[in-house]
């Protein structure tokens, strides 16, 4: 039986030593993990901080866990977040979760093979 490595990390963005953004990643299966938290303070939105956090999470997840797919959920109507995720390389996928009560949109980032 192959051993699975689980892990979690949180990355933050700071301005003048004040936390202004956060992104939490949890590895949940052999080759996949999920972003559970993504937040940038309103006054810092639109300044590429969210994109920087996402890119840092993608890089760190790849460094720690190799070719790992990253999943996340976005609420319908949250166009700013949806567009940010698309811009960063996430693609919308079918939500097959039986627990999909709120009809969230599922998105997945798949690393490029070199």
């Amino acid at each position: 039986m192959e051993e699975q490595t689980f892990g979690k990390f949180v990355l933050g963005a700071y301005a003048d030593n004040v936390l202004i953004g956060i992104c939490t990643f949890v590895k949940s299966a052999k080759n996949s993990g999920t972003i559970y938290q993504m937040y940038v303070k309103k006054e810092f939105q639109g300044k590429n901080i969210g994109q920087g956090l996402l890119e840092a999470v993608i890089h760190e997840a790849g460094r720690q866990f190799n070719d790992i797919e990253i999943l996340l959920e976005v609420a319908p109507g949250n166009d700013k977040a949806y567009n940010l995720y698309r811009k960063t390389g996430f693609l919308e996928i079918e939500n097959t979760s039986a627990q999909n009560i709120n009809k969230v949109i599922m998105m997945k980032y798949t690393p490029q093979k070199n």
Side-chain angles (χ1 to χ4, degrees):
M1 185 171 180
E2 189 172 324
E3 184 179 327
Q4 291 190 18
T5 304
F6 295 92
K8 170 181 162 177
F9 59 85
V10 179
L11 298 179
Y14 296 83
D16 297 323
N17 294 321
V18 175
L19 183 66
I20 60 166
I22 191 169
C23 194
T24 301
F25 173 85
V26 177
K27 184 176 187 290
S28 53
K30 182 180 176 201
N31 281 345
S32 70
T34 304
I35 291 176
Y36 282 105
Q37 224 176 20
M38 174 68 192
Y39 173 77
V40 175
K41 283 187 170 183
K42 189 156 188 76
E43 60 267 29
F44 292 95
Q45 293 177 4
K47 299 179 180 183
N48 295 322
I49 294 165
Q51 184 173 351
L53 280 168
L54 287 171
E55 289 171 353
V57 165
I58 290 166
H59 175 79
E60 185 62 20
R63 187 187 72 74
Q64 286 189 33
F65 307 113
N66 299 318
D67 300 322
I68 189 166
E69 293 180 334
I70 301 173
L71 303 170
L72 59 77
E73 297 176 348
V74 62
N78 189 349
D79 296 337
K80 285 172 70 173
Y82 181 86
N83 292 331
L84 170 63
Y85 300 144
R86 290 283 308 201
K87 181 179 176 182
T88 311
F90 285 82
L91 299 175
E92 189 172 336
I93 60 171
E94 182 179 359
N95 189 346
T96 58
S97 171
Q99 301 168 347
N100 187 14
I101 297 168
N102 296 325
K103 302 294 182 199
V104 296
I105 298 168
M106 292 294 302
M107 299 185 84
K108 175 172 76 172
Y109 176 87
T110 304
Q112 301 297 316
K113 304 284 184 193
N114 293 335

